[in-house]
């Protein structure tokens, strides 16, 4: 399979791998869409507008944001915040509206990959979903045991990209940024800020590329120790 992985500033001897979850530790287009759309539909209900009107509002805001910020993307949590929806409300919506087990299933190959990586690295997740929802996602895939800590939207009440979630990941794993690698599917959300902090980064397009970490496909950082 042809991989479309991009690596950035990988440390020679990393200690901690910081994983995004959604569309990184699984590949499921239907669930990726529903996670966003269920919140947009709830926003529409609260505003008394149609779902299509709400979708247009979100799309237009994201387009304007990108035009004013050199093409950068913005998270849905921050879009809703701009529309007057507090992060705390986004947390509650994500807890009640999302059911990962309806879309995801146990991933034996990812389980094996993480089992091997755990022998050499500390593993932690940083996600824009609340910890409750994130934990259900990891349980549906069968990988919860590999991530004793999750930094979620309700941990710092900050949506990626923000310093606080990544700083918290370093604190929880007792690791300096220079010894961490951030792994995710969105450069602006998951990779750009960690690079500014001094971390390495791996940009993937889905779990198929995460499988290759254990195989050492991405350089000396992932050679067996």
């Amino acid at each position: 399979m042809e991989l479309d992985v991009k690596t950035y500033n990988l440390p020679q001897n990393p200690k901690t791998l910081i994983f995004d979850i959604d569309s990184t530790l699984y590949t499921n287009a239907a669930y990726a869409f529903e996670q966003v759309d269920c919140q947009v539909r709830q926003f529409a209900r609260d505003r008394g507008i149609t779902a299509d009107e709400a979708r247009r509002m979100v799309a237009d805001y994201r387009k304007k944001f990108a035009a004013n910020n050199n093409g950068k993307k913005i998270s849905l949590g921050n879009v809703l915040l701009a529309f007057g929806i507090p992060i705390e409300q986004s947390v509650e919506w994500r807890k009640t509206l999302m059911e990962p087990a309806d879309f995801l299933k146990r991933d034996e190959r990812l389980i094996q990959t993480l089992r091997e990586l755990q022998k050499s690295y500390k593993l932690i997740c940083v996600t824009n979903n609340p910890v409750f929802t994130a934990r259900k996602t990891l349980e549906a895939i069968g990988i919860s045991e590999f991530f004793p800590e999750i930094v979620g939207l309700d941990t710092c009440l900050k949506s990626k990209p923000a310093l606080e979630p990544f700083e918290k990941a370093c604190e929880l794993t007792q690791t300096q940024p220079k010894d961490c690698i951030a792994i995710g599917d969105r450069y602006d959300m998951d990779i750009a800020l960690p690079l500014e902090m001094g971390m390495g980064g791996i940009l993937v397009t889905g779990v198929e590329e995460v499988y290759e970490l254990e195989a050492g496909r991405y350089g000396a950082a992932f050679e067996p120790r």
Side-chain angles (χ1 to χ4, degrees):
M1 180 182 69
E2 186 68 25
L3 300 178
D4 189 25
V5 177
K6 295 179 175 63
T7 62
Y8 306 86
N9 192 38
L10 296 186
Q12 187 67 27
N13 294 295
K15 298 177 181 177
T16 294
L17 306 182
I18 302 175
F19 284 92
D20 173 51
I21 295 178
D22 299 295
S23 297
T24 297
L25 292 177
Y26 67 82
T27 303
N28 188 301
Y31 186 46
F33 173 82
E34 177 60 14
Q35 281 194 65
V36 173
D37 204 60
C38 69
Q39 296 175 77
V40 175
R41 297 193 304 269
Q42 183 63 52
F43 171 70
R45 288 191 287 270
D46 284 11
R47 285 290 176 93
I49 60 178
T50 68
D52 282 343
E53 287 172 324
R55 292 179 187 116
R56 282 195 294 272
M57 287 178 65
V58 170
D60 288 347
Y61 188 91
R62 284 178 154 166
K63 184 176 179 180
K64 290 176 182 176
F65 181 88
N68 293 329
N69 292 274
N70 299 314
K72 289 183 178 179
K73 297 179 181 179
I74 183 171
S75 70
L76 180 63
N78 284 332
V79 172
L80 293 174
L81 184 62
F83 291 159
I85 305 299
I87 291 294
E88 292 87 346
Q89 185 61 69
S90 289
V91 167
E92 292 308 309
W93 285 355
R94 291 166 187 252
K95 285 182 178 179
T96 59
L97 297 174
M98 297 178 185
E99 190 47 69
D102 288 346
F103 294 86
L104 306 176
K105 62 182 180 179
R106 186 175 175 88
D107 185 338
E108 296 295 346
R109 186 170 177 187
L110 182 60
I111 291 168
Q112 180 58 33
T113 296
L114 294 174
R115 183 174 290 122
E116 290 302 313
L117 290 175
Q118 191 182 48
K119 295 176 182 178
S120 299
Y121 312 102
K122 297 177 182 178
L123 308 181
I124 191 168
C125 289
V126 174
T127 174
N128 277 348
N129 273 325
V131 172
F132 175 77
T133 305
R135 183 61 69 188
K136 288 202 298 183
T137 299
L138 299 184
E139 289 171 353
I141 306 168
I143 59 172
S144 185
E145 66 180 284
F146 302 110
F147 296 99
E149 300 282 0
I150 298 172
V151 179
L153 185 60
D154 48 346
T155 304
C156 305
L157 294 178
K158 294 283 187 176
S159 182
K160 294 187 291 183
L163 277 171
E164 291 87 345
F166 292 103
E167 289 175 337
K168 187 66 174 179
C170 290
E171 175 190 330
L172 290 171
T173 58
Q174 299 181 316
T175 314
Q176 295 296 315
K178 66 180 179 63
D179 296 319
C180 296
I181 297 176
I183 302 165
D185 67 299
R186 300 175 298 175
Y187 182 85
D188 291 338
M189 305 297 160
D190 305 319
I191 307 297
L193 188 58
L195 292 179
E196 292 179 14
M197 296 172 67
M199 298 184 189
I202 298 179
L203 181 65
V204 301
T205 60
V207 72
E208 295 81 7
E209 292 162 354
V210 175
Y211 298 151
E212 301 301 322
L213 291 174
E214 188 267 327
R217 292 283 296 270
Y218 306 141
F222 293 98
E223 294 299 326
R225 295 182 181 180

